């Protein structure tokens, strides 16, 4: 078992109950036996713009469910400024690939009919869908409007660089392809607080529209003076008509699709006052759904994230950006890194119930502006750390599971074993957890198992950034005499659990190894996942 000092650290990090070996089995049996959940980001930045993605996802639902995916985060499926757009340059929230606008009826991802088909199949299979909502801004105006504005300093948006002047900006939105269907609201200059282009002078800059008077005080002010403005035409969320229109859309969308989650894009740039009303209205309008709300507040600063959660009254979860940066730094350090520090300062360390843990996403993948690469040798251990431990809601990245496209595209990560890691979580990662974070180069943990079936089996995990790592770890006295071996048979490692419930587990070199009892129920399901998603449509 861990030393008393390591137990103290563990208790501090994860707020876990402590106890002696003699009572560990009873404590495990009393724990919540709810099935582990796992979120899947269902796209990467370079998915082909062939309008077949909804069909690809639908064809993959059963295989994803089989490994333990319970919820798929969909890309922004609203009409954007051009047919090959990923959707973050949002034009019309009410066009889900139904109307001939901006060069196409379908979005990059497919038509509304295909989206509805995906939604229906997901409901049938038992997978929830989380929608990526772009509420901060709007792009691709249908015509220009003249309005007064001041140019502001990009580094400090509270500093005006000129006196108010007339500009001509693309702030008129009539949605001619859709007309008044679903909503008759049309956007004009008064409905925005900022923009980035003056068509009369062809100058690109950040402009604060004078009728808005100021940026919202309820957004992130830790950077650039006030970070209300991000890009394109900034929605004025203090305008009653804008607020009403967006809240109406939030209640309309779940009537079109069987959604169970909303991911808020660019949450740090959105008024917390608006967002609280938006989320609470969705919840009260559709109380029969177990909603998952996630905010994208990308900051390597856990105190800032916790302060935001407090302002939002913990109405949503946040992506654990600090953990991603920790993983990046450890990957770069190689064997000089200290694996014991992986969770230090992370959101899952401080707020495990409100942390969405991840290794990579579409913004941090190779080629993106926020590229935060996790070294290949560490990816398997990184995923084991978010999938096989207590705390956090893990999110698996499409590009890591299926591979990425584009000039810098690559195949599936984790030596093609990521699907098996997700399945290990679903079947075995239950019961009391014992941590062995007592060596800078080799760390491990165990789960004792709980209840019956595969959940009773338990698991042992050991990871190393240096060859030769091993751990003697406690898995529970009820497992005495069992023979445990490594899940993927990297080196056919095995150990026999002794009378006191301990086994000696080899890391098997640099990376990660996971151990199960040799006859654990469900082991025959490994290696069955179909990674060839692009051959399905």
């Amino acid at each position: 078992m861990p030393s008393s000092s390591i137990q103290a650290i563990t208790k501090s990090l994860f707020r876990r109950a402590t106890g002696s070996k003699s009572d560990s089995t009873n404590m495990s049996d009393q724990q919540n036996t709810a099935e582990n959940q796992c979120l899947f980001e269902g796209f990467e930045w370079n998915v082909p713009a062939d309008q077949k993605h909804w069909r690809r996802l639908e064809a993959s639902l059963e295989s994803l469910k089989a490994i333990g995916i319970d919820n798929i985060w969909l890309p922004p499926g609203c009409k954007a400024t051009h047919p090959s757009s990923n959707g973050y340059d949002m034009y019309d929230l009410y066009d889900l690939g139904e109307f001939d606008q901006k060069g196409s009826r379908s979005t990059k991802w497919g038509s509304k009919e295909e989206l509805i088909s995906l939604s229906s199949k997901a409901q049938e299979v038992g997978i929830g869908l989380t929608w990526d909502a772009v509420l901060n801004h709007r792009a691709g105006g249908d015509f220009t409007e003249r309005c007064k504005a001041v140019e502001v300093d990009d580094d400090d948006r509270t500093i005006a660089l000129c006196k108010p002047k007339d500009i001509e900006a693309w702030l008129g939105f009539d949605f001619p392809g859709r007309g008044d269907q679903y909503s008759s609201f049309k956007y004009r200059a008064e409905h925005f607080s900022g923009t980035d282009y003056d068509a009369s002078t062809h100058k690109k800059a950040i402009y604060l529209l004078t009728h808005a008077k100021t940026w919202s005080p309820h957004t992130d002010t830790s950077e650039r003076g006030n970070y209300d403005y991000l890009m394109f035409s900034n929605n004025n969320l203090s305008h009653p008509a804008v607020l009403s229109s967006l809240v109406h859309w939030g209640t309309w969308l779940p009537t079109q699709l069987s959604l169970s989650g909303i991911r808020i894009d660019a949450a740090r740039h959105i008024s917390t006052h608006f967002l609280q009303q938006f989320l609470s209205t969705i919840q009260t309008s559709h109380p029969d759904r177990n909603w998952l709300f996630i905010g994208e507040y990308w900051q390597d600063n856990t105190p800032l994230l916790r302060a935001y959660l407090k302002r939002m009254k913990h109405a949503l979860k946040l992506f654990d950006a600090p953990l991603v940066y920790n993983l990046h730094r450890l990957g770069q350090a190689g064997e000089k890194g200290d694996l014991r520090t992986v969770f230090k300062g992370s959101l899952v360390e401080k707020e495990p119930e409100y942390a969405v843990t991840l290794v990579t996403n579409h913004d941090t993948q190779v080629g993106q502006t926020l590229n935060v690469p996790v070294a290949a040798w560490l990816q398997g251990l990184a995923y084991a750390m978010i999938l096989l431990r207590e705390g956090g809601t893990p999110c698996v990245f499409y590009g890591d599971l299926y591979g990425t496209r584009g000039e810098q595209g690559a195949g599936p990560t984790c030596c093609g074993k990521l699907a098996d890691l997700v399945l290990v979580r679903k079947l075995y990662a239950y019961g009391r957890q014992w941590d062995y974070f007592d060596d800078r180069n080799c760390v491990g943990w165990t789960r004792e198992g709980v209840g019956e079936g595969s959940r009773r089996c338990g698991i042992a995990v050991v990871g190393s950034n240096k060859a030769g790592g091993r751990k003697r770890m406690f898995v529970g006295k009820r497992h005495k005499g069992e023979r445990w071996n490594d899940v993927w048979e990297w080196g056919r490692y095995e150990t026999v659990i002794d009378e006191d419930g301990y086994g000696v587990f080899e890391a098997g070199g640099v990376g990660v190894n996971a151990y199960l009892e040799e006859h654990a129920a469900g082991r025959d399901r490994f290696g069955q996942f179909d990674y060839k998603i692009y051959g399905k449509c």
Side-chain angles (χ1 to χ4, degrees), residues 323 327 330-331 334 338-340 342-343 358-359 374-389 413-415 418 421 437 439-445 461-466 488 490 507 509-514:
L323 177 60
L327 292 168
L330 284 171
D338 188 344
L339 294 176
R340 297 172 299 182
V342 63
F343 295 109
L358 68 160
V359 177
V374 175
W377 72 264
L378 183 57
Q379 288 168 344
L381 176 55
Y383 267 109
M385 285 176 164
I386 70 169
L387 289 167
L388 307 183
R389 295 177 55 79
T413 63
C414 306
C415 301
L418 181 52
L421 266 175
F437 281 53
D439 185 293
R440 64 180 296 115
N441 299 118
C442 185
V443 298
W445 66 93
V461 184
V462 59
S464 179
N465 60 9
K466 188 177 180 180
W488 302 288
W490 295 129
V510 174
V512 65
N513 230 342

Side-chain angles (χ1 to χ4, degrees), residues 8-128:
I9 294 172
T10 299
K11 182 178 179 181
S12 172
L13 291 182
F14 296 99
R15 302 174 185 175
R16 175 179 309 117
T18 59
S20 66
K21 290 178 292 185
S22 61
D23 66 4
S24 62
T25 299
N26 292 332
M27 289 182 66
S28 293
D29 289 336
Q30 294 169 3
Q31 287 189 0
N32 187 347
T33 58
E35 189 172 59
N36 287 330
Q37 301 294 297
C38 187
L39 176 65
F40 175 63
E41 182 182 1
F43 64 104
E44 57 104 359
W45 195 258
N46 299 307
V47 165
D50 55 8
Q51 302 182 348
K52 295 181 179 180
H53 197 61
W54 297 146
R55 284 186 278 164
R56 275 191 289 268
L57 287 179
E58 181 177 349
S60 303
L61 286 172
E62 291 184 353
S63 62
L64 290 168
K65 181 65 176 180
I67 63 171
I69 297 299
D70 305 285
N71 199 311
I72 298 177
W73 157 17
L74 299 177
C78 302
K79 188 62 58 69
T81 61
H82 56 91
S84 60
S85 168
N86 282 334
Y88 292 100
D89 50 340
M90 191 276 300
Y91 166 70
D92 185 359
L93 284 171
Y94 288 96
D95 186 353
L96 305 180
E98 183 178 4
F99 304 101
D100 189 1
Q101 301 187 114
K102 297 302 176 183
S104 175
R105 181 175 182 273
S106 296
T107 67
K108 170 182 176 175
W109 316 107
S111 68
K112 182 177 180 180
E113 292 82 359
E114 291 164 341
L115 177 57
I116 291 173
S117 179
L118 165 63
S119 173
S120 298
K121 182 66 174 180
Q123 189 173 34
E124 176 188 323
V125 170
I127 291 181

Side-chain angles (χ1 to χ4, degrees), residues 142-199:
D142 298 310
F143 54 88
T144 61
E145 291 216 317
R146 293 195 69 81
C147 53
K148 287 195 177 294
V150 294
E151 183 180 340
V152 299
D153 190 324
D154 187 23
D155 294 324
D156 186 343
R157 278 80 182 276
T158 64
I159 298 177
L161 300 180
C162 67
K163 294 182 178 180
K165 62 180 181 179
D166 287 333
I167 67 168
E168 189 174 335
W170 291 90
L171 301 176
F173 291 79
D174 271 354
F175 316 114
R178 176 171 59 81
D180 292 341
Q181 190 164 345
Y182 305 128
S183 172
S184 60
F185 185 69
K186 314 299 181 186
Y187 281 78
R188 297 294 186 264
E190 66 186 279
H191 300 127
F192 300 96
S193 60
T195 191
D196 63 352
Y197 184 71
D198 179 3

Side-chain angles (χ1 to χ4, degrees), residues 320-355:
D320 196 345
L323 177 60
V324 175
Y325 285 97
N326 283 356
L327 292 168
H328 168 71
R329 288 186 284 264
L330 284 171
Q332 296 295 310
E335 66 178 49
K336 295 181 180 179
D338 188 344
L339 294 176
R340 297 172 299 182
T341 66
V342 63
F343 295 109
K344 185 177 181 180
S346 66
L347 186 60
V348 72
E349 176 192 42
K350 302 295 185 182
E351 302 263 10
E353 293 183 19
Y354 297 96

Side-chain angles (χ1 to χ4, degrees), residues 247-265:
V247 169
H248 174 267
W249 175 80
T251 60
W252 168 83
L253 186 65
T255 69
Q256 307 296 299
L257 306 167
S258 58
L259 300 178
S260 59
I262 300 287
R263 182 253 189 193
I264 303 297
D265 179 61

Side-chain angles (χ1 to χ4, degrees), residues 170-243:
W170 291 90
L171 301 176
F173 291 79
D174 271 354
F175 316 114
R178 176 171 59 81
D180 292 341
Q181 190 164 345
Y182 305 128
S183 172
S184 60
F185 185 69
K186 314 299 181 186
Y187 281 78
R188 297 294 186 264
E190 66 186 279
H191 300 127
F192 300 96
S193 60
T195 191
D196 63 352
Y197 184 71
D198 179 3
S200 65
T201 61
H202 306 289
K203 183 176 182 180
K204 187 172 179 61
I206 298 177
Y207 298 96
L208 171 65
L209 307 186
T210 56
H211 61 251
K213 297 182 180 179
T214 184
W215 303 114
S216 170
H218 307 298
T219 61
D220 182 12
T221 57
S222 68
E223 190 175 344
R224 299 179 185 267
N226 181 297
Y227 221 163
D228 179 5
Y229 183 84
L230 177 62
M231 61 176 68
F232 303 118
S233 299
N234 197 68
N235 288 324
N236 184 358
L237 300 177
S238 65
H239 193 294
V242 175
L243 187 151

